[in-house]
Amino acid sequence: MKRSPILGGISALLAATVAVLAPATSASAATSVTIDHVNAPGATGIIYLEGPGGYCFQPGTNRTKTGFDFDGNGNIGISGGGRTLRCDDSNGSELRVEAYPSSAGTECTGPAPDRIPSVNPFVSPAGGMHLRVPSGGSVGTLTFPTQSTGGIKPMGKVIRAAGPTPSCKIHVEIFQDEGFALGTRGAFGAFYANNNDDTTTGWIFPGNYNIFIEDEVTGVKIRTLASFDASSRFDIDVDASCFGFDTCVYENGAPPTTGGGFHPLPPARVLDTRSNIGIVGKVTAGDGSLRSEPNPDMRRDAANNHQTKVTGVGGVPEHGVSAVLLNVTVAGPDADSFLSVYPKLPRVNDGGLAIFNDQGGFRTGPGTSNLNFRAGQTLPNLVLARVGAGGRIMVENFGGNVDVIADVVGWVDTGTGGDGFTGVTPERLLDTRQDGQGPIFGPNDTRHLKVTGRAGVPADATAVVLNVTQIDATTYGYMTVWPTGLGRPNTSNLNGAPGRIRPNLVVSKIGQGGQVDIFNYDGNAHVAVDVVGYFSARGGGQIYPLSPSRLMDSRNGFGTPKGPFGATEVRTLTVTGVGGVPPDAKAVIVNVTGTQSTSGSFLTVFPTGDKLPTTSNVNLDLGDPAPNLVMMKVGAGGQISISNDRGLTHVIVDVMGFVR
């Protein structure tokens, strides 16, 4: 059985308790402990000792580790009755006792077997025990957690993975926190698991647990904490950050960067701070860390104010999700700022202490942006958000306070068979300013737009990727895009302003007749729609979400010559082999922001080597920053090209993912 160091990562309070209770170390002290009886009705188990150097040897036997069997009557050893257990390591002043409820536990015969029965609390009549005692001390009677001794109801367990999980791949150890203090006792379990397991635990005491989970195939190992009671489940998501737990420290390896197929959804609201959906109250400045705040409740509230769960809501499943596609809108900001959306990150690896500190292990964000906005603006942008620990994403706000709204339009699996993406050279499908394509949209106006069979979008496409631009709106309002044939959702894709040009990338499931519907809430506005790609169950590439990273910033010369883009200037940007994008990527997903523009203009992004299309991705007003997500097939040399129409403007590009 794999063993984990359990004494290095305890909290300061717990460490202080141990320091007070532990007797002074003596090099000549005998390391032994006496156990009188075991109270575990129906269990036939084994007891092991661990000293400072690891498991103890049993003198006079061929056992590699100290172990004494006990029977269902609590008798220890062959001759029964109490027994003193000794180590041949005389350098320790205390011993750790592990008592397993079954001597016939599952033996791991796969990779890295340890030749100790793997006690599986999921099939045992009693839970395991662990405790620390001074050398020469007496344990007395070991009472195991069982139904008859006040244990809790068994917990359900499911191992989830995109593919089959072989035996001995996932190894788990759980230690009740209370058992770390000298002289106290806690429940314990160690087992190998695979995704055929869907059973219940043996009995354990309610309380807080340290959990070690290791993927013995990849070597990835985490440490996490959980509080278990009668309603708890023990779900392990092999393909998820922190194996699906809300907080963890990676003791070895890193979170997975899996990708998969896309699953389009009818738009659904999953976050709205105005209504306390997902996050309570406006998102404040920062990332939720208040390291100097002594009040733990305030620290907790600040952390919760900057994160939200995106799995298990809005049609997104609880497990098997690598990323979600969200239309994120900011409303009512009281300061110029920017918003950064990224996966909830694991804690820093500082020897395990961060797992006990609610904020000391915060990792800093990626230093990128998804939405750049002025005070008072209402502005949307499509966001591909890789899912982090606990199925959560972080929402970091640079300054001030702002309401944040997010509508989910689809999710990316971990390789279980969703739809593939195919990028096309951008082509215009609708422009109400052109003869025969109008008239202008009016208030409460809904129109159908045929998208299949046009611009390379096949009849069997399941979803379409469109750049939708609202032009010259006469009032503040919003527009919504959704599959034809379904009721209009209570969501939005575009938020307009009088006289402004506002674009946004839209991914919409395709509805009846190969169409999508476009709704204008109020006022009059022209609309232009450009297609840039589609999703299909036949062909296309899988999406691989990334933690965001910066590829270009013309303000400081990062990834491009320093200085703004000039009028009609085209620059190329290498997007493969950088920022986590592999050389063989077929398409990239980047957030493109124009800022400090000297005139009204627009940016066009297109595959390098293609002719400059008559479309736009980012529309710019004088001086105001404007972001937009771009899903673009990669051009010649692993590059994309960016064109500025007029005036001077700085351009920032952050990569969010890729397709291959």
Side-chain angles (χ1 to χ4, degrees), residues 467-504:
N467 203 68
V468 181
T469 304
Q470 186 188 70
I471 306 161
D472 296 334
T474 59
T475 187
Y476 293 99
Y478 65 87
M479 306 194 79
T480 302
V481 182
W482 75 99
T484 299
L486 299 180
R488 176 166 57 88
N490 184 31
T491 58
S492 63
N493 298 90
L494 276 166
N495 297 79
R500 299 298 180 95
I501 300 175
R502 292 282 176 81
N504 199 21

PDB file of all heavy atoms in Angstrom, residues 467-504:
ATOM      1  N   ASN A 467     -19.901  36.053 -35.833  1.00  0.00           N
ATOM      2  CA  ASN A 467     -19.583  37.356 -35.265  1.00  0.00           C
ATOM      3  C   ASN A 467     -20.763  38.267 -35.580  1.00  0.00           C
ATOM      4  O   ASN A 467     -21.034  38.573 -36.750  1.00  0.00           O
ATOM      5  CB  ASN A 467     -18.285  37.915 -35.852  1.00  0.00           C
ATOM      6  CG  ASN A 467     -17.651  38.927 -34.927  1.00  0.00           C
ATOM      7  OD1 ASN A 467     -17.185  38.575 -33.856  1.00  0.00           O
ATOM      8  ND2 ASN A 467     -17.663  40.182 -35.313  1.00  0.00           N
ATOM      9  N   VAL A 468     -21.497  38.651 -34.545  1.00  0.00           N
ATOM     10  CA  VAL A 468     -22.715  39.455 -34.701  1.00  0.00           C
ATOM     11  C   VAL A 468     -22.410  40.887 -34.256  1.00  0.00           C
ATOM     12  O   VAL A 468     -21.902  41.104 -33.154  1.00  0.00           O
ATOM     13  CB  VAL A 468     -23.873  38.869 -33.877  1.00  0.00           C
ATOM     14  CG1 VAL A 468     -25.143  39.702 -34.063  1.00  0.00           C
ATOM     15  CG2 VAL A 468     -24.131  37.411 -34.290  1.00  0.00           C
ATOM     16  N   THR A 469     -22.727  41.852 -35.118  1.00  0.00           N
ATOM     17  CA  THR A 469     -22.422  43.256 -34.836  1.00  0.00           C
ATOM     18  C   THR A 469     -23.703  44.084 -34.896  1.00  0.00           C
ATOM     19  O   THR A 469     -24.446  44.025 -35.888  1.00  0.00           O
ATOM     20  CB  THR A 469     -21.405  43.813 -35.836  1.00  0.00           C
ATOM     21  OG1 THR A 469     -20.229  42.992 -35.824  1.00  0.00           O
ATOM     22  CG2 THR A 469     -21.013  45.236 -35.475  1.00  0.00           C
ATOM     23  N   GLN A 470     -23.941  44.848 -33.836  1.00  0.00           N
ATOM     24  CA  GLN A 470     -25.057  45.793 -33.803  1.00  0.00           C
ATOM     25  C   GLN A 470     -24.516  47.177 -34.170  1.00  0.00           C
ATOM     26  O   GLN A 470     -23.506  47.621 -33.625  1.00  0.00           O
ATOM     27  CB  GLN A 470     -25.703  45.828 -32.423  1.00  0.00           C
ATOM     28  CG  GLN A 470     -26.965  46.680 -32.350  1.00  0.00           C
ATOM     29  CD  GLN A 470     -27.450  46.848 -30.924  1.00  0.00           C
ATOM     30  OE1 GLN A 470     -26.813  47.528 -30.131  1.00  0.00           O
ATOM     31  NE2 GLN A 470     -28.587  46.232 -30.607  1.00  0.00           N
ATOM     32  N   ILE A 471     -25.224  47.858 -35.077  1.00  0.00           N
ATOM     33  CA  ILE A 471     -24.715  49.102 -35.652  1.00  0.00           C
ATOM     34  C   ILE A 471     -25.743  50.210 -35.495  1.00  0.00           C
ATOM     35  O   ILE A 471     -26.928  50.034 -35.822  1.00  0.00           O
ATOM     36  CB  ILE A 471     -24.379  48.907 -37.151  1.00  0.00           C
ATOM     37  CG1 ILE A 471     -23.420  47.709 -37.328  1.00  0.00           C
ATOM     38  CG2 ILE A 471     -23.785  50.180 -37.752  1.00  0.00           C
ATOM     39  CD1 ILE A 471     -23.390  47.154 -38.725  1.00  0.00           C
ATOM     40  N   ASP A 472     -25.282  51.352 -34.987  1.00  0.00           N
ATOM     41  CA  ASP A 472     -26.111  52.570 -34.921  1.00  0.00           C
ATOM     42  C   ASP A 472     -27.431  52.346 -34.195  1.00  0.00           C
ATOM     43  O   ASP A 472     -28.512  52.726 -34.696  1.00  0.00           O
ATOM     44  CB  ASP A 472     -26.371  53.130 -36.328  1.00  0.00           C
ATOM     45  CG  ASP A 472     -25.086  53.580 -37.015  1.00  0.00           C
ATOM     46  OD1 ASP A 472     -24.135  53.919 -36.297  1.00  0.00           O
ATOM     47  OD2 ASP A 472     -25.036  53.573 -38.263  1.00  0.00           O
ATOM     48  N   ALA A 473     -27.376  51.742 -33.027  1.00  0.00           N
ATOM     49  CA  ALA A 473     -28.592  51.570 -32.227  1.00  0.00           C
ATOM     50  C   ALA A 473     -29.131  52.938 -31.815  1.00  0.00           C
ATOM     51  O   ALA A 473     -28.370  53.888 -31.583  1.00  0.00           O
ATOM     52  CB  ALA A 473     -28.286  50.730 -31.002  1.00  0.00           C
ATOM     53  N   THR A 474     -30.447  53.024 -31.713  1.00  0.00           N
ATOM     54  CA  THR A 474     -31.066  54.297 -31.323  1.00  0.00           C
ATOM     55  C   THR A 474     -31.296  54.402 -29.829  1.00  0.00           C
ATOM     56  O   THR A 474     -31.676  55.474 -29.340  1.00  0.00           O
ATOM     57  CB  THR A 474     -32.405  54.477 -32.058  1.00  0.00           C
ATOM     58  OG1 THR A 474     -33.274  53.383 -31.718  1.00  0.00           O
ATOM     59  CG2 THR A 474     -32.200  54.523 -33.571  1.00  0.00           C
ATOM     60  N   THR A 475     -31.088  53.307 -29.095  1.00  0.00           N
ATOM     61  CA  THR A 475     -31.284  53.346 -27.649  1.00  0.00           C
ATOM     62  C   THR A 475     -30.467  52.229 -27.007  1.00  0.00           C
ATOM     63  O   THR A 475     -29.890  51.383 -27.693  1.00  0.00           O
ATOM     64  CB  THR A 475     -32.773  53.166 -27.295  1.00  0.00           C
ATOM     65  OG1 THR A 475     -32.952  53.370 -25.890  1.00  0.00           O
ATOM     66  CG2 THR A 475     -33.257  51.768 -27.650  1.00  0.00           C
ATOM     67  N   TYR A 476     -30.398  52.232 -25.695  1.00  0.00           N
ATOM     68  CA  TYR A 476     -29.784  51.106 -24.989  1.00  0.00           C
ATOM     69  C   TYR A 476     -30.714  49.906 -25.081  1.00  0.00           C
ATOM     70  O   TYR A 476     -31.935  50.024 -24.948  1.00  0.00           O
ATOM     71  CB  TYR A 476     -29.543  51.458 -23.522  1.00  0.00           C
ATOM     72  CG  TYR A 476     -28.499  52.528 -23.326  1.00  0.00           C
ATOM     73  CD1 TYR A 476     -28.869  53.859 -23.112  1.00  0.00           C
ATOM     74  CD2 TYR A 476     -27.144  52.214 -23.373  1.00  0.00           C
ATOM     75  CE1 TYR A 476     -27.908  54.845 -22.930  1.00  0.00           C
ATOM     76  CE2 TYR A 476     -26.178  53.189 -23.195  1.00  0.00           C
ATOM     77  CZ  TYR A 476     -26.570  54.504 -22.979  1.00  0.00           C
ATOM     78  OH  TYR A 476     -25.618  55.479 -22.811  1.00  0.00           O
ATOM     79  N   GLY A 477     -30.147  48.758 -25.294  1.00  0.00           N
ATOM     80  CA  GLY A 477     -30.951  47.541 -25.414  1.00  0.00           C
ATOM     81  C   GLY A 477     -30.049  46.338 -25.516  1.00  0.00           C
ATOM     82  O   GLY A 477     -28.858  46.402 -25.216  1.00  0.00           O
ATOM     83  N   TYR A 478     -30.627  45.228 -25.935  1.00  0.00           N
ATOM     84  CA  TYR A 478     -29.822  44.021 -26.099  1.00  0.00           C
ATOM     85  C   TYR A 478     -30.391  43.179 -27.219  1.00  0.00           C
ATOM     86  O   TYR A 478     -31.549  43.349 -27.642  1.00  0.00           O
ATOM     87  CB  TYR A 478     -29.760  43.213 -24.804  1.00  0.00           C
ATOM     88  CG  TYR A 478     -31.084  42.635 -24.346  1.00  0.00           C
ATOM     89  CD1 TYR A 478     -31.525  41.391 -24.805  1.00  0.00           C
ATOM     90  CD2 TYR A 478     -31.891  43.308 -23.431  1.00  0.00           C
ATOM     91  CE1 TYR A 478     -32.725  40.846 -24.386  1.00  0.00           C
ATOM     92  CE2 TYR A 478     -33.095  42.778 -22.998  1.00  0.00           C
ATOM     93  CZ  TYR A 478     -33.510  41.546 -23.479  1.00  0.00           C
ATOM     94  OH  TYR A 478     -34.702  41.023 -23.067  1.00  0.00           O
ATOM     95  N   MET A 479     -29.561  42.248 -27.693  1.00  0.00           N
ATOM     96  CA  MET A 479     -29.966  41.304 -28.731  1.00  0.00           C
ATOM     97  C   MET A 479     -29.677  39.891 -28.235  1.00  0.00           C
ATOM     98  O   MET A 479     -28.708  39.668 -27.493  1.00  0.00           O
ATOM     99  CB  MET A 479     -29.233  41.566 -30.043  1.00  0.00           C
ATOM    100  CG  MET A 479     -29.363  42.996 -30.547  1.00  0.00           C
ATOM    101  SD  MET A 479     -28.860  43.212 -32.264  1.00  0.00           S
ATOM    102  CE  MET A 479     -30.309  42.584 -33.125  1.00  0.00           C
ATOM    103  N   THR A 480     -30.510  38.949 -28.658  1.00  0.00           N
ATOM    104  CA  THR A 480     -30.380  37.552 -28.253  1.00  0.00           C
ATOM    105  C   THR A 480     -30.390  36.665 -29.490  1.00  0.00           C
ATOM    106  O   THR A 480     -31.198  36.883 -30.405  1.00  0.00           O
ATOM    107  CB  THR A 480     -31.520  37.142 -27.312  1.00  0.00           C
ATOM    108  OG1 THR A 480     -31.520  37.986 -26.165  1.00  0.00           O
ATOM    109  CG2 THR A 480     -31.371  35.698 -26.860  1.00  0.00           C
ATOM    110  N   VAL A 481     -29.491  35.669 -29.528  1.00  0.00           N
ATOM    111  CA  VAL A 481     -29.419  34.693 -30.614  1.00  0.00           C
ATOM    112  C   VAL A 481     -29.646  33.312 -30.016  1.00  0.00           C
ATOM    113  O   VAL A 481     -29.032  32.966 -28.998  1.00  0.00           O
ATOM    114  CB  VAL A 481     -28.057  34.757 -31.328  1.00  0.00           C
ATOM    115  CG1 VAL A 481     -28.010  33.777 -32.490  1.00  0.00           C
ATOM    116  CG2 VAL A 481     -27.752  36.183 -31.802  1.00  0.00           C
ATOM    117  N   TRP A 482     -30.506  32.502 -30.661  1.00  0.00           N
ATOM    118  CA  TRP A 482     -30.800  31.169 -30.129  1.00  0.00           C
ATOM    119  C   TRP A 482     -31.324  30.266 -31.243  1.00  0.00           C
ATOM    120  O   TRP A 482     -31.644  30.749 -32.345  1.00  0.00           O
ATOM    121  CB  TRP A 482     -31.798  31.262 -28.967  1.00  0.00           C
ATOM    122  CG  TRP A 482     -33.237  31.525 -29.339  1.00  0.00           C
ATOM    123  CD1 TRP A 482     -34.235  30.592 -29.442  1.00  0.00           C
ATOM    124  CD2 TRP A 482     -33.841  32.785 -29.667  1.00  0.00           C
ATOM    125  NE1 TRP A 482     -35.420  31.182 -29.797  1.00  0.00           N
ATOM    126  CE2 TRP A 482     -35.201  32.539 -29.932  1.00  0.00           C
ATOM    127  CE3 TRP A 482     -33.365  34.097 -29.764  1.00  0.00           C
ATOM    128  CZ2 TRP A 482     -36.097  33.546 -30.308  1.00  0.00           C
ATOM    129  CZ3 TRP A 482     -34.242  35.117 -30.134  1.00  0.00           C
ATOM    130  CH2 TRP A 482     -35.586  34.833 -30.392  1.00  0.00           C
ATOM    131  N   PRO A 483     -31.431  28.936 -31.021  1.00  0.00           N
ATOM    132  CA  PRO A 483     -31.872  28.014 -32.070  1.00  0.00           C
ATOM    133  C   PRO A 483     -33.331  28.251 -32.453  1.00  0.00           C
ATOM    134  O   PRO A 483     -34.207  28.360 -31.584  1.00  0.00           O
ATOM    135  CB  PRO A 483     -31.705  26.633 -31.436  1.00  0.00           C
ATOM    136  CG  PRO A 483     -30.817  26.842 -30.261  1.00  0.00           C
ATOM    137  CD  PRO A 483     -31.044  28.226 -29.792  1.00  0.00           C
ATOM    138  N   THR A 484     -33.600  28.331 -33.734  1.00  0.00           N
ATOM    139  CA  THR A 484     -34.972  28.482 -34.223  1.00  0.00           C
ATOM    140  C   THR A 484     -35.817  27.284 -33.776  1.00  0.00           C
ATOM    141  O   THR A 484     -35.383  26.136 -33.843  1.00  0.00           O
ATOM    142  CB  THR A 484     -34.970  28.584 -35.756  1.00  0.00           C
ATOM    143  OG1 THR A 484     -34.217  29.735 -36.144  1.00  0.00           O
ATOM    144  CG2 THR A 484     -36.388  28.689 -36.306  1.00  0.00           C
ATOM    145  N   GLY A 485     -37.020  27.573 -33.339  1.00  0.00           N
ATOM    146  CA  GLY A 485     -37.933  26.520 -32.904  1.00  0.00           C
ATOM    147  C   GLY A 485     -38.032  26.382 -31.408  1.00  0.00           C
ATOM    148  O   GLY A 485     -38.967  25.750 -30.904  1.00  0.00           O
ATOM    149  N   LEU A 486     -37.096  26.969 -30.673  1.00  0.00           N
ATOM    150  CA  LEU A 486     -37.159  26.965 -29.221  1.00  0.00           C
ATOM    151  C   LEU A 486     -37.665  28.317 -28.731  1.00  0.00           C
ATOM    152  O   LEU A 486     -37.536  29.334 -29.412  1.00  0.00           O
ATOM    153  CB  LEU A 486     -35.779  26.678 -28.611  1.00  0.00           C
ATOM    154  CG  LEU A 486     -35.139  25.328 -28.947  1.00  0.00           C
ATOM    155  CD1 LEU A 486     -33.783  25.203 -28.267  1.00  0.00           C
ATOM    156  CD2 LEU A 486     -36.054  24.175 -28.534  1.00  0.00           C
ATOM    157  N   GLY A 487     -38.237  28.324 -27.539  1.00  0.00           N
ATOM    158  CA  GLY A 487     -38.667  29.586 -26.953  1.00  0.00           C
ATOM    159  C   GLY A 487     -37.481  30.505 -26.692  1.00  0.00           C
ATOM    160  O   GLY A 487     -36.384  30.045 -26.376  1.00  0.00           O
ATOM    161  N   ARG A 488     -37.689  31.792 -26.806  1.00  0.00           N
ATOM    162  CA  ARG A 488     -36.601  32.748 -26.599  1.00  0.00           C
ATOM    163  C   ARG A 488     -36.131  32.690 -25.158  1.00  0.00           C
ATOM    164  O   ARG A 488     -36.896  32.833 -24.223  1.00  0.00           O
ATOM    165  CB  ARG A 488     -37.065  34.157 -26.962  1.00  0.00           C
ATOM    166  CG  ARG A 488     -36.007  35.226 -26.685  1.00  0.00           C
ATOM    167  CD  ARG A 488     -36.352  36.543 -27.355  1.00  0.00           C
ATOM    168  NE  ARG A 488     -37.655  37.046 -26.963  1.00  0.00           N
ATOM    169  CZ  ARG A 488     -37.890  37.817 -25.904  1.00  0.00           C
ATOM    170  NH1 ARG A 488     -36.888  38.136 -25.086  1.00  0.00           N
ATOM    171  NH2 ARG A 488     -39.104  38.258 -25.642  1.00  0.00           N
ATOM    172  N   PRO A 489     -34.822  32.494 -24.937  1.00  0.00           N
ATOM    173  CA  PRO A 489     -34.308  32.395 -23.566  1.00  0.00           C
ATOM    174  C   PRO A 489     -34.186  33.764 -22.917  1.00  0.00           C
ATOM    175  O   PRO A 489     -34.126  34.804 -23.593  1.00  0.00           O
ATOM    176  CB  PRO A 489     -32.927  31.762 -23.767  1.00  0.00           C
ATOM    177  CG  PRO A 489     -32.508  32.224 -25.126  1.00  0.00           C
ATOM    178  CD  PRO A 489     -33.771  32.284 -25.947  1.00  0.00           C
ATOM    179  N   ASN A 490     -34.111  33.758 -21.604  1.00  0.00           N
ATOM    180  CA  ASN A 490     -33.928  34.997 -20.850  1.00  0.00           C
ATOM    181  C   ASN A 490     -32.436  35.297 -20.725  1.00  0.00           C
ATOM    182  O   ASN A 490     -31.868  35.365 -19.638  1.00  0.00           O
ATOM    183  CB  ASN A 490     -34.568  34.873 -19.466  1.00  0.00           C
ATOM    184  CG  ASN A 490     -34.496  36.177 -18.683  1.00  0.00           C
ATOM    185  OD1 ASN A 490     -34.510  37.255 -19.264  1.00  0.00           O
ATOM    186  ND2 ASN A 490     -34.405  36.075 -17.368  1.00  0.00           N
ATOM    187  N   THR A 491     -31.786  35.468 -21.877  1.00  0.00           N
ATOM    188  CA  THR A 491     -30.352  35.717 -21.930  1.00  0.00           C
ATOM    189  C   THR A 491     -30.083  36.783 -22.979  1.00  0.00           C
ATOM    190  O   THR A 491     -30.997  37.243 -23.668  1.00  0.00           O
ATOM    191  CB  THR A 491     -29.579  34.435 -22.308  1.00  0.00           C
ATOM    192  OG1 THR A 491     -30.059  33.970 -23.580  1.00  0.00           O
ATOM    193  CG2 THR A 491     -29.765  33.347 -21.272  1.00  0.00           C
ATOM    194  N   SER A 492     -28.832  37.189 -23.101  1.00  0.00           N
ATOM    195  CA  SER A 492     -28.464  38.181 -24.115  1.00  0.00           C
ATOM    196  C   SER A 492     -27.106  37.837 -24.696  1.00  0.00           C
ATOM    197  O   SER A 492     -26.285  37.169 -24.057  1.00  0.00           O
ATOM    198  CB  SER A 492     -28.435  39.588 -23.516  1.00  0.00           C
ATOM    199  OG  SER A 492     -27.446  39.685 -22.511  1.00  0.00           O
ATOM    200  N   ASN A 493     -26.860  38.299 -25.925  1.00  0.00           N
ATOM    201  CA  ASN A 493     -25.561  38.150 -26.568  1.00  0.00           C
ATOM    202  C   ASN A 493     -24.880  39.484 -26.826  1.00  0.00           C
ATOM    203  O   ASN A 493     -23.653  39.570 -26.817  1.00  0.00           O
ATOM    204  CB  ASN A 493     -25.698  37.411 -27.905  1.00  0.00           C
ATOM    205  CG  ASN A 493     -26.225  36.009 -27.740  1.00  0.00           C
ATOM    206  OD1 ASN A 493     -27.426  35.773 -27.764  1.00  0.00           O
ATOM    207  ND2 ASN A 493     -25.319  35.057 -27.549  1.00  0.00           N
ATOM    208  N   LEU A 494     -25.683  40.515 -27.078  1.00  0.00           N
ATOM    209  CA  LEU A 494     -25.157  41.843 -27.385  1.00  0.00           C
ATOM    210  C   LEU A 494     -25.878  42.881 -26.551  1.00  0.00           C
ATOM    211  O   LEU A 494     -27.103  42.821 -26.398  1.00  0.00           O
ATOM    212  CB  LEU A 494     -25.374  42.177 -28.865  1.00  0.00           C
ATOM    213  CG  LEU A 494     -24.355  41.681 -29.881  1.00  0.00           C
ATOM    214  CD1 LEU A 494     -24.918  41.813 -31.280  1.00  0.00           C
ATOM    215  CD2 LEU A 494     -23.067  42.481 -29.774  1.00  0.00           C
ATOM    216  N   ASN A 495     -25.128  43.839 -26.029  1.00  0.00           N
ATOM    217  CA  ASN A 495     -25.718  44.966 -25.308  1.00  0.00           C
ATOM    218  C   ASN A 495     -25.292  46.239 -26.018  1.00  0.00           C
ATOM    219  O   ASN A 495     -24.106  46.563 -26.063  1.00  0.00           O
ATOM    220  CB  ASN A 495     -25.249  44.974 -23.845  1.00  0.00           C
ATOM    221  CG  ASN A 495     -25.718  43.740 -23.103  1.00  0.00           C
ATOM    222  OD1 ASN A 495     -25.146  42.671 -23.239  1.00  0.00           O
ATOM    223  ND2 ASN A 495     -26.770  43.888 -22.325  1.00  0.00           N
ATOM    224  N   GLY A 496     -26.282  46.932 -26.601  1.00  0.00           N
ATOM    225  CA  GLY A 496     -25.978  48.084 -27.436  1.00  0.00           C
ATOM    226  C   GLY A 496     -26.039  49.405 -26.693  1.00  0.00           C
ATOM    227  O   GLY A 496     -26.478  49.484 -25.547  1.00  0.00           O
ATOM    228  N   ALA A 497     -25.576  50.437 -27.387  1.00  0.00           N
ATOM    229  CA  ALA A 497     -25.612  51.805 -26.871  1.00  0.00           C
ATOM    230  C   ALA A 497     -25.892  52.729 -28.048  1.00  0.00           C
ATOM    231  O   ALA A 497     -25.469  52.447 -29.181  1.00  0.00           O
ATOM    232  CB  ALA A 497     -24.299  52.168 -26.192  1.00  0.00           C
ATOM    233  N   PRO A 498     -26.601  53.827 -27.824  1.00  0.00           N
ATOM    234  CA  PRO A 498     -26.974  54.727 -28.923  1.00  0.00           C
ATOM    235  C   PRO A 498     -25.761  55.177 -29.734  1.00  0.00           C
ATOM    236  O   PRO A 498     -24.754  55.628 -29.188  1.00  0.00           O
ATOM    237  CB  PRO A 498     -27.626  55.905 -28.201  1.00  0.00           C
ATOM    238  CG  PRO A 498     -28.116  55.343 -26.912  1.00  0.00           C
ATOM    239  CD  PRO A 498     -27.124  54.299 -26.538  1.00  0.00           C
ATOM    240  N   GLY A 499     -25.881  54.999 -31.055  1.00  0.00           N
ATOM    241  CA  GLY A 499     -24.855  55.477 -31.962  1.00  0.00           C
ATOM    242  C   GLY A 499     -23.593  54.657 -31.999  1.00  0.00           C
ATOM    243  O   GLY A 499     -22.663  54.980 -32.755  1.00  0.00           O
ATOM    244  N   ARG A 500     -23.489  53.592 -31.222  1.00  0.00           N
ATOM    245  CA  ARG A 500     -22.260  52.796 -31.142  1.00  0.00           C
ATOM    246  C   ARG A 500     -22.346  51.548 -32.020  1.00  0.00           C
ATOM    247  O   ARG A 500     -23.433  51.078 -32.383  1.00  0.00           O
ATOM    248  CB  ARG A 500     -21.982  52.384 -29.703  1.00  0.00           C
ATOM    249  CG  ARG A 500     -21.782  53.552 -28.745  1.00  0.00           C
ATOM    250  CD  ARG A 500     -20.574  54.383 -29.146  1.00  0.00           C
ATOM    251  NE  ARG A 500     -20.352  55.504 -28.259  1.00  0.00           N
ATOM    252  CZ  ARG A 500     -19.521  55.472 -27.219  1.00  0.00           C
ATOM    253  NH1 ARG A 500     -18.865  54.366 -26.945  1.00  0.00           N
ATOM    254  NH2 ARG A 500     -19.359  56.541 -26.462  1.00  0.00           N
ATOM    255  N   ILE A 501     -21.170  51.007 -32.328  1.00  0.00           N
ATOM    256  CA  ILE A 501     -21.061  49.741 -33.042  1.00  0.00           C
ATOM    257  C   ILE A 501     -20.529  48.712 -32.060  1.00  0.00           C
ATOM    258  O   ILE A 501     -19.433  48.876 -31.517  1.00  0.00           O
ATOM    259  CB  ILE A 501     -20.124  49.867 -34.260  1.00  0.00           C
ATOM    260  CG1 ILE A 501     -20.650  50.925 -35.239  1.00  0.00           C
ATOM    261  CG2 ILE A 501     -19.984  48.521 -34.967  1.00  0.00           C
ATOM    262  CD1 ILE A 501     -19.721  51.185 -36.410  1.00  0.00           C
ATOM    263  N   ARG A 502     -21.307  47.684 -31.809  1.00  0.00           N
ATOM    264  CA  ARG A 502     -20.950  46.691 -30.794  1.00  0.00           C
ATOM    265  C   ARG A 502     -20.971  45.282 -31.395  1.00  0.00           C
ATOM    266  O   ARG A 502     -22.032  44.781 -31.788  1.00  0.00           O
ATOM    267  CB  ARG A 502     -21.925  46.758 -29.616  1.00  0.00           C
ATOM    268  CG  ARG A 502     -21.809  48.035 -28.791  1.00  0.00           C
ATOM    269  CD  ARG A 502     -20.601  47.959 -27.876  1.00  0.00           C
ATOM    270  NE  ARG A 502     -20.377  49.187 -27.132  1.00  0.00           N
ATOM    271  CZ  ARG A 502     -21.010  49.536 -26.025  1.00  0.00           C
ATOM    272  NH1 ARG A 502     -21.952  48.743 -25.543  1.00  0.00           N
ATOM    273  NH2 ARG A 502     -20.718  50.651 -25.408  1.00  0.00           N
ATOM    274  N   PRO A 503     -19.793  44.610 -31.467  1.00  0.00           N
ATOM    275  CA  PRO A 503     -19.753  43.219 -31.944  1.00  0.00           C
ATOM    276  C   PRO A 503     -19.667  42.244 -30.775  1.00  0.00           C
ATOM    277  O   PRO A 503     -19.298  42.611 -29.668  1.00  0.00           O
ATOM    278  CB  PRO A 503     -18.454  43.186 -32.744  1.00  0.00           C
ATOM    279  CG  PRO A 503     -17.545  44.099 -31.952  1.00  0.00           C
ATOM    280  CD  PRO A 503     -18.435  45.173 -31.338  1.00  0.00           C
ATOM    281  N   ASN A 504     -19.972  40.992 -31.047  1.00  0.00           N
ATOM    282  CA  ASN A 504     -19.697  39.917 -30.093  1.00  0.00           C
ATOM    283  C   ASN A 504     -19.713  38.595 -30.835  1.00  0.00           C
ATOM    284  O   ASN A 504     -20.533  38.388 -31.742  1.00  0.00           O
ATOM    285  CB  ASN A 504     -20.725  39.885 -28.967  1.00  0.00           C
ATOM    286  CG  ASN A 504     -20.217  39.125 -27.750  1.00  0.00           C
ATOM    287  OD1 ASN A 504     -19.016  38.946 -27.567  1.00  0.00           O
ATOM    288  ND2 ASN A 504     -21.124  38.660 -26.909  1.00  0.00           N
TER     289      ASN A 504
END
